[in-house]
Amino acid sequence: MKQTRVGVFGMSGKMGSQVITAVGRADGMTIVGGCDINEPREAINNAEVVVDFTHPDAVMDNIRWAVPRGVHMVIGTTGFDQARLAEVRALCDEHPGVGVLVASNFSIGANLMMRFAELAAPYYPSVEIIELHHPNKADAPSGTSVTTAQRIAAARAEAGLGDVPDATTQNELGTRGGVVDGVPVHSVRLQGLVAHQEVLLGAAGETLTIRHDSFDRASFMPGVVAGIRYILEHPGLTVGMREVLGL
Ligand SMILES: NC(=O)c1ccc[n+]([C@@H]2O[C@H](COP(=O)([O-])OP(=O)(O)OC[C@H]3O[C@@H](n4cnc5c(N)ncnc54)[C@H](O)[C@@H]3O)[C@@H](O)[C@H]2O)c1
């Protein structure tokens, strides 16, 4: 069987080291090299696909290095805004045939949670998101909570729902959270946690809570492996796991 050659940026990190194990166990792919901070990128050694779990401050330079060399990328590093995505899309346009997958959450359950939230959103006037992570996370709100809020907001708009009901007039301390596309998002950073999210939906006399918990980084690996297989066949920029997982 042909082996897809996979490299890893951030190979010494918590996610990168899991990727090395998961790719090593997956059928039809093999790790050919990797690098961590201040190590030469050339160590990816002829990889067809490189997986990036580094840092929001590092990932753009990694993309600018890999895509012009014809190396596909599967990127889990978070902190992507529309400006960053536009730059990656333009880079892919300049290098046809190269694929880049940017996904803020590779876990199957988290992607189902986002889909369920989107399905429920039209039926509930109120919605808020609580995202909870370990305290070493650099970015807040989490990429997953931003994506969830955007998908909920789009479903609400399509259903003709207006603003979420909220009589707050005083919020000097910001305790009502940040607001993403009209959806309040609350970020918790707590030792002992890995990656968790609740979507709270409310209507007269009832609430619906959709919760997902990643207890172990192993939960992200089936999605990473699926992403590697997907990006080999799909040039250009893919954002999120919807197409990869068929959700
Ligand atoms: N998409 C997802 O499903 C998902 C899941 C978990 C974490 N993440 C994200 O992945 C990223 C990494 O998370 P982590 O928990 O593994 O962090 P980590 O700090 O354990 O690992 C990051 C690694 O990247 C290395 N690094 C930094 N700059 C680099 C560079 N320029 N080149 C090569 N390596 C470099 C660091 O030295 C470190 O070893 C974060 O942005 C995090 O939010 C995404």
Side-chain angles (χ1 to χ4, degrees), residues 10 12-15 35-37 53-54 56 58 76-78 103-106 137 217 220:
S12 307
K14 291 184 284 296
M15 291 294 288
C35 70
D36 207 272
I37 193 161
F53 281 102
T54 57
T77 307
T78 47
S104 58
N105 200 318
F106 283 97
K137 185 170 173 57
R217 290 174 177 82
F220 301 112

Side-chain angles (χ1 to χ4, degrees), residues 117-205:
E118 185 177 57
L119 287 173
Y123 302 97
Y124 290 90
S126 286
V127 59
E128 308 223 353
I129 297 172
I130 306 172
E131 58 95 343
L132 312 92
H133 284 83
H134 60 87
N136 297 323
K137 185 170 173 57
D139 50 322
S142 68
T144 303
S145 66
V146 171
T147 305
T148 311
Q150 289 167 340
R151 287 174 62 171
I152 288 171
R156 287 175 65 92
E158 194 168 323
L161 290 186
D163 295 344
V164 295
D166 184 359
T168 308
T169 54
Q170 295 177 344
N171 183 32
E172 282 80 8
L173 296 181
T175 48
R176 287 290 295 117
V179 179
V180 178
D181 284 7
V183 179
V185 179
H186 310 270
S187 299
V188 177
R189 296 292 175 263
L190 205 69
Q191 276 194 359
L193 295 179
V194 179
H196 317 258
Q197 181 166 296
E198 282 185 12
V199 180
L200 310 175
L201 298 126

Side-chain angles (χ1 to χ4, degrees), residues 2-247:
K2 180 193 177 291
Q3 297 286 308
T4 299
R5 302 184 304 277
V6 180
V8 181
F9 287 155
M11 69 181 296
S12 307
K14 291 184 284 296
M15 291 294 288
S17 46
Q18 293 261 352
V19 171
I20 288 171
T21 306
V23 169
R25 287 181 184 154
D27 287 341
M29 55 184 77
T30 186
I31 293 286
V32 293
C35 70
D36 207 272
I37 193 161
N38 298 330
E39 293 171 357
R41 294 187 181 95
E42 285 71 13
I44 67 165
N45 191 20
N46 206 20
E48 293 160 84
V49 183
V50 64
V51 180
D52 187 303
F53 281 102
T54 57
H55 190 279
D57 293 344
V59 64
M60 292 306 292
D61 279 344
N62 290 342
I63 298 169
R64 291 176 195 123
W65 185 89
V67 171
R69 285 168 174 76
V71 181
H72 306 293
M73 294 192 80
V74 170
I75 299 173
T77 307
T78 47
F80 278 83
D81 56 14
Q82 289 306 320
R84 284 184 165 208
L85 291 174
E87 182 182 338
V88 180
R89 196 172 284 114
L91 205 54
C92 288
D93 288 347
E94 284 171 32
H95 301 279
V98 181
V100 177
L101 168 65
V102 177
S104 58
N105 200 318
F106 283 97
S107 131
I108 311 284
N111 282 281
L112 285 170
M113 176 258 300
M114 285 189 263
R115 180 74 185 124
F116 296 155
E118 185 177 57
L119 287 173
Y123 302 97
Y124 290 90
S126 286
V127 59
E128 308 223 353
I129 297 172
I130 306 172
E131 58 95 343
L132 312 92
H133 284 83
H134 60 87
N136 297 323
K137 185 170 173 57
D139 50 322
S142 68
T144 303
S145 66
V146 171
T147 305
T148 311
Q150 289 167 340
R151 287 174 62 171
I152 288 171
R156 287 175 65 92
E158 194 168 323
L161 290 186
D163 295 344
V164 295
D166 184 359
T168 308
T169 54
Q170 295 177 344
N171 183 32
E172 282 80 8
L173 296 181
T175 48
R176 287 290 295 117
V179 179
V180 178
D181 284 7
V183 179
V185 179
H186 310 270
S187 299
V188 177
R189 296 292 175 263
L190 205 69
Q191 276 194 359
L193 295 179
V194 179
H196 317 258
Q197 181 166 296
E198 282 185 12
V199 180
L200 310 175
L201 298 126
E206 67 166 302
T207 64
L208 171 66
T209 302
I210 304 168
R211 178 168 174 124
H212 175 257
D213 298 276
S214 278
F215 297 112
D216 190 306
R217 290 174 177 82
S219 63
F220 301 112
M221 293 305 125
V224 172
V225 169
I228 293 168
R229 295 204 170 102
Y230 177 91
I231 209 61
L232 287 166
E233 308 292 331
H234 295 84
L237 174 64
T238 302
V239 181
M241 293 294 284
R242 291 183 83 156
E243 289 101 331
V244 179
L245 299 175
L247 283 173

